[in-house]
Amino acid sequence: MNIYDIAKLAGVSIATVSRVVNDSPKVSEKTKERVRKVMEENDYTPNVFARGLGLGSMNTLGIVCPDVADAYMAKAVSYLEKNLQGYGYDCILYCSGYDEEDKQQAVERILKKQIDALILIGSDYVPESDEFSNCIYNAAKQLPVFLINGYMEGDNIYCVLVDDFQAVYD
Protein backbone atom coordinates (compact mmCIF):
# COMPACT_ATOMS: atom_id res chain seq x y z
CA MET A 1 0.00 0.00 0.00
CA ASN A 2 1.44 3.36 -1.01
CA ILE A 3 0.36 7.00 -1.14
CA TYR A 4 -1.14 6.52 -4.62
CA ASP A 5 -3.37 3.67 -3.37
CA ILE A 6 -4.55 5.74 -0.38
CA ALA A 7 -5.33 8.71 -2.64
CA LYS A 8 -7.38 6.52 -4.98
CA LEU A 9 -9.31 4.83 -2.17
CA ALA A 10 -10.02 8.16 -0.44
CA GLY A 11 -10.95 9.88 -3.70
CA VAL A 12 -8.34 12.63 -3.30
CA SER A 13 -5.04 13.61 -4.89
CA ILE A 14 -1.69 12.36 -3.64
CA ALA A 15 -0.92 15.97 -2.67
CA THR A 16 -3.95 15.89 -0.37
CA VAL A 17 -2.79 12.64 1.23
CA SER A 18 0.63 14.20 1.76
CA ARG A 19 -0.97 17.25 3.35
CA VAL A 20 -3.01 15.02 5.67
CA VAL A 21 0.12 13.09 6.70
CA ASN A 22 1.84 16.41 7.46
CA ASP A 23 -1.29 17.81 9.17
CA SER A 24 -1.51 20.78 6.84
CA PRO A 25 -4.16 23.42 7.64
CA LYS A 26 -4.92 23.56 3.90
CA VAL A 27 -7.08 20.43 4.18
CA SER A 28 -10.53 20.46 5.75
CA GLU A 29 -11.13 18.39 8.87
CA LYS A 30 -13.75 16.34 7.00
CA THR A 31 -11.24 15.40 4.29
CA LYS A 32 -8.54 14.69 6.88
CA GLU A 33 -10.88 12.31 8.71
CA ARG A 34 -11.78 10.48 5.46
CA VAL A 35 -8.13 10.08 4.43
CA ARG A 36 -7.02 9.02 7.93
CA LYS A 37 -9.81 6.43 8.04
CA VAL A 38 -8.62 4.93 4.74
CA MET A 39 -5.02 4.94 6.00
CA GLU A 40 -6.05 3.20 9.22
CA GLU A 41 -8.24 0.61 7.46
CA ASN A 42 -5.32 -0.29 5.21
CA ASP A 43 -2.57 -0.17 7.86
CA TYR A 44 -0.79 2.53 5.86
CA THR A 45 2.42 3.92 7.33
CA PRO A 46 3.93 6.93 5.54
CA ASN A 47 7.43 6.54 4.14
CA VAL A 48 9.63 8.45 6.61
CA PHE A 49 12.22 9.25 3.95
CA ALA A 50 9.68 10.71 1.54
CA ARG A 51 8.04 12.61 4.37
CA GLY A 52 11.39 13.95 5.52
CA LEU A 53 12.26 15.16 2.06
CA GLY A 54 8.93 16.96 1.80
CA LEU A 55 9.35 18.62 5.18
CA GLY A 56 13.04 19.32 4.71
CA SER A 57 13.88 17.40 7.88
CA MET A 58 14.52 13.76 8.67
CA ASN A 59 14.48 14.30 12.46
CA THR A 60 17.85 12.57 12.45
CA LEU A 61 21.02 13.75 14.13
CA GLY A 62 24.51 12.56 13.36
CA ILE A 63 26.78 11.71 16.26
CA VAL A 64 30.51 11.21 15.71
CA CYS A 65 32.87 10.03 18.42
CA PRO A 66 36.34 8.48 18.24
CA ASP A 67 35.51 5.13 19.88
CA VAL A 68 32.47 3.87 21.81
CA ALA A 69 34.68 1.37 23.64
CA ASP A 70 35.83 4.35 25.70
CA ALA A 71 33.61 4.58 28.80
CA TYR A 72 33.20 8.38 28.55
CA MET A 73 32.21 8.19 24.88
CA ALA A 74 29.81 5.30 25.46
CA LYS A 75 28.08 7.12 28.29
CA ALA A 76 27.84 10.36 26.28
CA VAL A 77 26.40 8.58 23.23
CA SER A 78 23.93 6.64 25.37
CA TYR A 79 22.76 9.76 27.19
CA LEU A 80 22.38 11.75 23.98
CA GLU A 81 20.56 9.00 22.09
CA LYS A 82 18.06 8.33 24.88
CA ASN A 83 17.28 11.99 25.43
CA LEU A 84 17.08 12.89 21.75
CA GLN A 85 14.63 10.01 21.23
CA GLY A 86 12.36 11.71 23.74
CA TYR A 87 12.27 14.73 21.44
CA GLY A 88 11.43 12.61 18.39
CA TYR A 89 14.94 12.42 16.91
CA ASP A 90 16.74 9.37 15.59
CA CYS A 91 20.52 9.17 15.67
CA ILE A 92 23.19 7.86 13.34
CA LEU A 93 26.50 7.03 15.03
CA TYR A 94 29.90 7.01 13.39
CA CYS A 95 33.06 6.02 15.22
CA SER A 96 35.91 7.85 13.56
CA GLY A 97 38.97 6.69 15.41
CA TYR A 98 41.56 9.21 16.52
CA ASP A 99 43.46 9.92 13.28
CA GLU A 100 42.60 13.39 11.94
CA GLU A 101 42.10 12.13 8.39
CA ASP A 102 39.71 9.43 9.64
CA LYS A 103 37.79 12.02 11.69
CA GLN A 104 37.44 14.21 8.63
CA GLN A 105 36.22 11.29 6.51
CA ALA A 106 33.66 10.36 9.17
CA VAL A 107 32.29 13.91 9.23
CA GLU A 108 32.11 14.01 5.44
CA ARG A 109 30.35 10.61 5.28
CA ILE A 110 27.77 11.41 7.93
CA LEU A 111 26.89 14.71 6.25
CA LYS A 112 25.67 12.67 3.27
CA LYS A 113 23.04 10.95 5.46
CA GLN A 114 20.46 13.78 5.43
CA ILE A 115 21.04 14.63 9.09
CA ASP A 116 19.57 17.76 10.68
CA ALA A 117 22.51 18.48 13.01
CA LEU A 118 25.97 17.11 13.75
CA ILE A 119 27.24 16.31 17.24
CA LEU A 120 30.96 15.73 17.75
CA ILE A 121 31.79 14.13 21.09
CA GLY A 122 35.16 14.72 22.69
CA SER A 123 38.03 17.13 22.71
CA ASP A 124 39.57 15.09 19.88
CA TYR A 125 37.39 17.10 17.50
CA VAL A 126 39.05 20.41 18.32
CA PRO A 127 40.85 20.88 15.00
CA GLU A 128 44.60 20.46 14.91
CA SER A 129 44.92 21.45 11.25
CA ASP A 130 43.38 24.00 8.91
CA GLU A 131 42.05 21.16 6.77
CA PHE A 132 40.00 19.70 9.64
CA SER A 133 38.93 23.20 10.74
CA ASN A 134 37.62 23.81 7.22
CA CYS A 135 35.79 20.50 7.34
CA ILE A 136 33.91 21.60 10.47
CA TYR A 137 33.29 25.12 9.15
CA ASN A 138 31.90 23.67 5.93
CA ALA A 139 29.63 21.36 7.91
CA ALA A 140 28.41 24.37 9.92
CA LYS A 141 27.40 26.09 6.68
CA GLN A 142 24.97 23.22 6.05
CA LEU A 143 23.61 22.51 9.53
CA PRO A 144 24.19 23.17 13.24
CA VAL A 145 27.35 21.60 14.64
CA PHE A 146 27.63 20.82 18.35
CA LEU A 147 31.01 20.16 19.92
CA ILE A 148 30.82 18.34 23.25
CA ASN A 149 33.84 18.83 25.55
CA GLY A 150 35.68 21.08 23.14
CA TYR A 151 35.69 24.66 21.97
CA MET A 152 35.78 26.18 18.52
CA GLU A 153 34.45 29.54 17.39
CA GLY A 154 32.31 29.90 14.31
CA ASP A 155 28.83 30.60 12.98
CA ASN A 156 26.40 27.75 13.63
CA ILE A 157 28.93 25.98 15.90
CA TYR A 158 27.82 25.40 19.49
CA CYS A 159 30.13 24.15 22.22
CA VAL A 160 29.81 22.60 25.66
CA LEU A 161 33.08 22.67 27.56
CA VAL A 162 33.72 21.61 31.14
CA ASP A 163 36.66 22.97 33.09
CA ASP A 164 37.79 19.68 34.64
CA PHE A 165 40.43 21.33 36.79
CA GLN A 166 37.94 23.79 38.29
CA ALA A 167 35.38 21.01 38.79
CA VAL A 168 37.91 18.93 40.74
CA TYR A 169 38.97 21.96 42.73
CA ASP A 170 35.34 22.85 43.57
Side-chain angles (χ1 to χ4, degrees), residues 5 11 15 41 44 49 56 58 75 79 82 86 88 98 105 108 111 129 134 154-156 160-161:
D5 299 325
E41 289 171 352
Y44 173 73
F49 295 109
M58 295 297 292
K75 190 165 188 142
Y79 178 82
K82 285 178 186 171
Y98 295 92
Q105 287 176 358
E108 290 169 356
L111 289 174
S129 71
N134 290 335
D155 292 337
N156 216 22
V160 176
L161 181 61

Side-chain angles (χ1 to χ4, degrees), residues 123-136:
S123 58
D124 292 290
Y125 293 102
V126 174
E128 296 173 16
S129 71
D130 289 341
E131 191 172 347
F132 191 53
S133 291
N134 290 335
C135 175
I136 294 176

Side-chain angles (χ1 to χ4, degrees), residues 72-73 76 119-126 146-152 158-164:
Y72 165 76
M73 301 292 166
I119 302 170
L120 304 171
I121 301 175
S123 58
D124 292 290
Y125 293 102
V126 174
F146 296 88
L147 185 55
I148 309 278
N149 202 26
Y151 182 77
M152 181 177 178
Y158 306 91
C159 304
V160 176
L161 181 61
V162 175
D163 184 343
D164 294 329

